[in-house]
Amino acid sequence: MDHLDAKIAESVRVALVESGMGANELIKGTSIPPSVLRHRLTAETSFTLSELVRVAAALGRRTVDLIPDAVRVP
C-alpha cells in the first residue's frame, strides 16, 4: 500500500460518509465494479484518474477535493 493511495482512499471514504451516500449508490453513480471499488477504498490498489473524477462527480465534489493537501504539489 502506497502512502499516496492510502491518503486518497481515506479522503474518498470521508467524502462518502459526509455525502450520506452508501457504497452501493457510489457504485451505481460511478460504474466502478464493487470488487474494484473495495480494493480502491482499502488502498490495496490505486484509483485511476478517471475513477477519481467519476467518484468526485458522484459525490458532488471537485476531483482536487479528494486529493489531500499533504500530497498536493504546490
Side-chain angles (χ1 to χ4, degrees):
M1 166 171 39
D2 182 84
H3 178 71
L4 177 59
D5 294 337
K7 290 290 190 184
I8 291 175
E10 178 182 0
S11 180
V12 171
R13 289 192 309 268
V14 167
L16 183 60
V17 168
E18 289 175 351
S19 75
M21 182 182 291
N24 288 334
E25 292 173 285
L26 185 59
I27 290 164
K28 290 178 186 174
T30 61
S31 299
I32 299 173
S35 62
V36 172
L37 185 61
R38 182 176 57 252
H39 288 294
R40 304 297 194 254
L41 291 173
T42 58
E44 292 176 45
T45 56
S46 304
F47 277 98
T48 66
L49 181 56
S50 175
E51 291 168 343
L52 208 54
V53 168
R54 293 189 327 234
V55 167
L59 295 174
R61 307 257 176 140
R62 299 176 311 154
T63 305
V64 71
D65 294 337
L66 299 178
I67 301 171
D69 291 337
V71 295
R72 291 185 197 168
V73 177

